[in-house]
Amino acid sequence: MNATAFLSITDWQPYLIALAIYILIGIILWSVRSKSIQVWYAIGIIALGFGLMLRFAAALKLAPFPYDFATFFAWSEGLVQYGFGAFYDSQRFIDYPPGYMYVLSIIGEIRHAFGYVQGSVGSALLLKAPAIVADIAISFVLYRIGREGGQHRLAILVASLYILNPVVWLNSAMWGQVDSVFTLILLLAIWQLSKQAYTFAGIWYAIAILVKPQALLFGPVFLFVPLRSQPFQAWGKMVFSGLLTFILGIMPFALQQEPLWIYNLYKSTLSSYAYYSVNAFNVPALLGGNWQPLGDSASLFSTLTLGLIVIAAGLFAWHYRQTTHLEAYIALWVILTVFLFAFKMHERYLFPALALLPLIWLWTKQIRWAVVFALVTLAQMINVGLIYIQSLGQNQPLLFGQTAIHVSAMLLLIAWGLTTWFALRKEGGQLRG
């Protein structure tokens, strides 16, 4: 199949319209008072169908993020040509660990079988498909979690709002990134941790680390949550299952590598992009640090900041160790805090919060978490949407100046403050059953 030209939406109006429609849908769904489960099932099916239609249309017609897409294509091609063992020596730039390479390998084989070339519609759909499938899977997992708690209507409401969230389908079906895949795996790990299924929690968390090094940011969740009961037994199960999963995951790629190759890969990836902010509209960017290089003292300060966040998460976990669903609170607080205050953050690192907030809403049945969800959605729409527009070659000097950074960062600071306050004060904000 020949290459084709994709449509590039470089004006803000369509994004604002999509956000306005989403807000309107949210108000309509919130206003539905029917207690009939059949009505809510119909709502869920309609939301799922509309969400799928949006994604397939965007995947087929809209331009992906050029640099990321070219990289994924090159990796999938390299995996087909060289196989797992020689892959990490086959290309100059590979900053992903082996986890997602298995998916790209399958995509590469299918692409070759059908003859899809780079830039073709078929190639674009294949490369975007894993994230689209993960979007649907996250929505289903949220529904399943809500149904476990007997909250069928709230579960359908929350799952519908997730699948229709414009930031979610912008990221997967337009941008073509894999944050949904990573978020799905992380969500499964936290779900298993909440059920004290530590063996499965360790397996899923190891897979998350294999897919994206950013999973290490959630280490405090799996380190401190077991403090609530039998920590050594819980840690032992997670370490054993996680380490075994990790070793099995890297083994096909390690056969032709030197012993410390995986350590050096993670070290290289985590030390790359040495800037105060890498298009993340956060506090460092607010202070003028977007794409400003880090010095040695700033790198040390960044490490100390992460250390302080880990200590704070540990103190919170210990003090509130008997709190139900502690793992979700810590995960959300950690990712919000790290994104807002740490250095070297990319615009998409906050994406897991868009699944964690609906999860907390389901577990607590408190509408106030929907407010935080709305704030994070708006902030991410400004941040990710603007960077996506920039990637298509359209200059937006007014928006890309400090105005957008200020608005997005301030929204997130409010969301962070509310998250901290709500997590400390568990009562209030109950949603109707």
Side-chain angles (χ1 to χ4, degrees):
M1 183 177 291
N2 294 327
T4 186
F6 291 97
L7 176 65
S8 298
I9 302 178
T10 56
D11 294 323
W12 262 102
Q13 288 86 344
Y15 301 93
L16 295 176
I17 291 171
L19 190 60
I21 292 173
Y22 178 67
I23 293 170
L24 179 61
I25 291 173
I27 293 171
I28 292 172
L29 291 178
W30 171 247
S31 302
V32 175
R33 300 287 173 170
S34 175
K35 294 184 178 181
S36 170
I37 193 61
Q38 285 76 21
V39 170
W40 281 99
Y41 278 139
I43 290 173
I45 292 171
I46 293 171
L48 177 61
F50 189 58
L52 278 171
M53 181 185 70
L54 280 172
R55 282 164 173 80
F56 280 115
L60 292 171
K61 296 295 185 182
L62 299 181
F65 195 99
Y67 179 78
D68 289 352
F69 227 55
T71 301
F72 288 148
F73 185 93
W75 289 348
S76 70
E77 184 70 17
L79 287 160
V80 172
Q81 291 185 10
Y82 300 98
F84 295 148
F87 171 69
Y88 278 96
D89 293 325
S90 68
Q91 300 185 38
R92 182 175 298 177
F93 176 78
I94 304 175
D95 66 344
Y96 269 41
Y100 197 67
M101 299 306 172
Y102 291 104
V103 178
L104 288 178
S105 176
I106 296 171
I107 290 173
E109 295 291 352
I110 296 174
R111 190 172 47 76
H112 271 253
F114 285 92
Y116 294 146
V117 299
Q118 185 172 8
S120 67
V121 172
S123 182
L125 185 58
L126 279 174
L127 285 168
K128 292 179 179 181
I132 292 173
V133 171
D135 285 348
I136 306 303
I138 290 172
S139 185
F140 176 77
V141 170
L142 289 171
Y143 166 72
R144 179 71 182 273
I145 291 172
R147 194 178 67 180
E148 278 187 353
Q151 297 292 324
H152 289 268
R153 284 172 289 161
L154 180 58
I156 293 172
L157 171 63
V158 167
S160 298
L161 289 176
Y162 184 84
I163 201 66
L164 296 174
N165 190 311
V167 180
V168 173
W169 54 267
L170 186 157
N171 194 296
S172 59
M174 293 173 62
W175 188 306
Q177 256 294 347
V178 300
D179 299 283
S180 290
V181 177
F182 165 67
T183 299
L184 169 63
I185 298 166
L186 183 68
L187 183 64
L188 291 170
I190 291 173
W191 184 20
Q192 294 304 308
L193 186 63
S194 74
K195 298 193 290 186
Q196 299 185 20
Y198 297 115
T199 298
F200 290 107
I203 291 172
W204 284 116
Y205 185 51
I207 295 174
I209 294 173
L210 281 168
V211 171
K212 269 184 171 283
Q214 287 74 42
L216 295 170
L217 296 174
F218 294 91
V221 180
F222 298 88
L223 178 63
F224 296 125
V225 167
L227 292 172
R228 60 189 174 191
S229 64
Q230 299 179 316
F232 293 105
Q233 183 180 358
W235 289 332
K237 290 180 178 179
M238 284 194 292
V239 169
F240 177 78
S241 64
L243 190 59
L244 180 61
T245 301
F246 188 84
I247 292 172
L248 291 174
I250 68 171
M251 191 171 294
F253 294 87
L255 297 178
Q256 300 180 33
Q257 300 293 332
E258 50 89 17
L260 293 178
W261 75 277
I262 192 66
Y263 168 78
N264 291 327
L265 175 64
Y266 277 92
K267 180 182 178 182
S268 173
T269 300
L270 293 172
S271 61
S272 62
Y273 296 103
Y275 301 93
Y276 285 93
S277 172
V278 188
N279 287 334
F281 294 174
N282 54 10
V283 171
L286 192 66
L287 299 176
N290 194 33
W291 286 107
Q292 295 300 311
L294 288 172
D296 292 338
S297 58
S299 296
L300 176 61
F301 181 77
S302 178
T303 302
L304 291 174
T305 300
L306 290 174
L308 289 173
I309 292 171
V310 170
I311 292 171
L315 293 173
F316 178 84
W318 175 255
H319 186 74
Y320 291 95
R321 58 189 178 278
Q322 300 306 322
T323 298
T324 307
H325 308 308
L326 176 65
E327 52 283 320
Y329 289 123
I330 295 179
L332 177 62
W333 186 83
V334 164
I335 194 60
L336 275 172
T337 306
V338 169
F339 184 85
L340 264 172
F341 301 108
F343 299 152
K344 301 196 293 185
M345 292 293 108
H346 293 242
E347 70 286 327
R348 294 172 292 100
Y349 280 11
L350 190 58
F351 188 87
L354 295 173
L356 291 170
L357 279 160
L359 177 65
I360 296 175
W361 185 6
L362 275 174
W363 274 341
T364 63
K365 300 180 286 295
Q366 294 173 341
I367 188 61
R368 60 190 185 179
W369 290 105
V371 175
V372 184
F373 180 58
L375 290 170
V376 174
T377 294
L378 183 54
Q380 277 281 274
M381 190 66 178
I382 295 170
N383 196 165
V384 176
L386 184 53
I387 300 305
Y388 174 73
I389 291 175
Q390 287 283 316
S391 77
L392 302 177
Q394 178 73 14
N395 257 342
Q396 298 280 353
L398 176 62
L399 287 171
F400 195 64
Q402 289 293 304
T403 303
I405 295 175
H406 273 76
V407 173
S408 185
M410 292 307 297
L411 288 170
L412 287 180
L413 281 168
I414 295 171
W416 177 79
L418 290 175
T419 295
T420 304
W421 179 250
F422 293 163
L424 295 175
R425 292 175 56 86
K426 302 296 185 298
E427 74 281 358
Q430 294 296 321
L431 175 67
R432 65 179 186 275

